[in-house]
Amino acid sequence: MVFIFCFLEPSSKLLFQTKMLQLPRFRVAAFISLILINSSLKAESAIGVNWGTLSFHKLNPTTVVDLLKENKVQKVKLFDADPGALKALMGSGIQVMVGISNDMLATLSSSTMASDLWVRQNVSRYMVKGGVDIRYVAVGNEPFLSSYAGQYESYVMPALLNLQQSLAKANLAGYVKLVVPCNADAYESTLPSQGAFRPELTQIITQIVSFLNSNGSPFVVNIYPFLSLYANADFPQEYAFFEGTTHAITDGPNVYYNAFDGNFDTLVAALSKLGYGQMPIVIGEVGWPTDGAIGANLTAARVFNQGLINHVLSNKGTPLRPGVPPVDIYLFSLLDEGAKSVLPGNFERHWGIFSFDGQAKYALNLGSGNRFLKNARNVQYLPSRWCVANPSTDLTEVTNHMKLACSVADCTTLNYGGSCNAIGAKGNISYAFNSYYQLQMQNSQSCDFDGLGMVTFLDPSVGDCRFVVGLTDVSSSSFRPNCRWLILWFLILWGFWVFAT
């Protein structure tokens, strides 16, 4: 009991103590639902952002919300229901999509008590006067990805039904919509008009789309032209952007000049084959990385994202949906996430339109009134000092030290195609040493490396290769899925015991 309690956030500790005393039914008052429903049921389409938190240097959530407000971002998508982020979003007026990870689907699909508890803890408790404007709950994240080999397929529909029932109990089913973000590999074709869902997914997708339609939810899809370019050397580069192309695709009477429209209409055709050709579509993730691969750079990211924003806000639509752009688009991503897995590629840690510390990487007009991005304010950095290779030492034995540093810290910019790839051998060593040093909060011993490292007060950054300085205002909240689900199971089992006795 004490072991579980010690890992909780302060707010969760209070909830945990309450649960130990009693397990009351939790209902949101009807008048709160009426207030929410009467406030703009349908907002205008907008450019939102994904706020991921897999970072070694986390900005304080309040600083992030201030950054969103400063840039007039009205919609944000989370990949979980982090209490720190949701607390910071209270009273902001920003519309929020909270997320449920794939590893939670099995539990939520098999237990209404688990779904009730999840809704109480992560939705109802925040939807109070002056609280969080939660509009969507993303049930899983790309659960039908082909690489998962069907691992989560059987859980999605039961989880949706349980969660919908739980939202209804909380009087929120008419306001908070359930969605299932899908990867674009869920459908396929050689031409957009021939789009169809993968044969093995047809049955489950039909059930989900029927559910979404009956509950007024959109279809959420993630589209990444960059990945098409990255994975296929023969993919025409200009077709990935919105600047025009000599490689346009002709599909009957329709002509496609960019990969985004082609992909979008492939989904439209696939939905039409199921009888839902008019279903609203939200782009859950779309963007372009700035580092970590050939083609991933500041210029390409700016050109793609600005072209995308201009294209969507022009209301031009696509050949199969002229004049009807996506309901909303969530750029991926708000911030760089240096702790993400690099299994798909080193670029995975560099999708942000802002660097990890909330500083704009390039000029971008989000169409919200600001001509350019505005930087985060009052960011608290560690002192301006860096760890570099000691020039007076023999560096022939440095390999193991570099491996150690890069096994812990983020060194992806040093690889082929990265912004720091051409700074030379000593530069590479210094970059690795400094990345580790900053991650260790500039602990003096972390720059020793058996005498091969030294601290300098002169910024060693070279051109686009930035040697970072860490943050002091690191968020105290962290992602602890195993601990939280241990708590969840404890409460469920305890609840069964209470009702049984």
Side-chain angles (χ1 to χ4, degrees), residues 175-232:
Y175 190 80
V176 179
K177 302 299 180 182
L178 300 177
V179 295
V180 182
C182 290
N183 187 280
D185 81 342
Y187 47 89
E188 53 195 7
S189 77
T190 54
L191 291 172
S193 63
Q194 299 172 6
F197 289 101
R198 299 198 323 257
E200 70 272 21
L201 294 179
T202 301
Q203 182 177 0
I204 180 65
I205 291 292
T206 301
Q207 294 173 355
I208 288 172
V209 170
S210 175
F211 172 88
L212 297 176
N213 183 67
S214 64
N215 289 286
S217 298
F219 191 97
V220 179
V221 64
N222 302 336
I223 296 177
Y224 284 105
F226 169 81
L227 296 181
S228 299
L229 180 63
Y230 177 78
N232 185 358

Side-chain angles (χ1 to χ4, degrees), residues 468-500:
V468 303
V469 172
L471 305 179
T472 60
D473 62 341
V474 174
S475 168
S476 60
S477 66
S478 60
F479 185 58
R480 294 185 286 262
N482 293 337
C483 182
R484 287 179 180 168
W485 280 96
L486 182 63
I487 296 163
L488 176 59
W489 272 114
F490 179 84
L491 291 176
I492 291 172
L493 293 173
W494 187 83
F496 279 130
W497 179 80
V498 169
F499 288 120

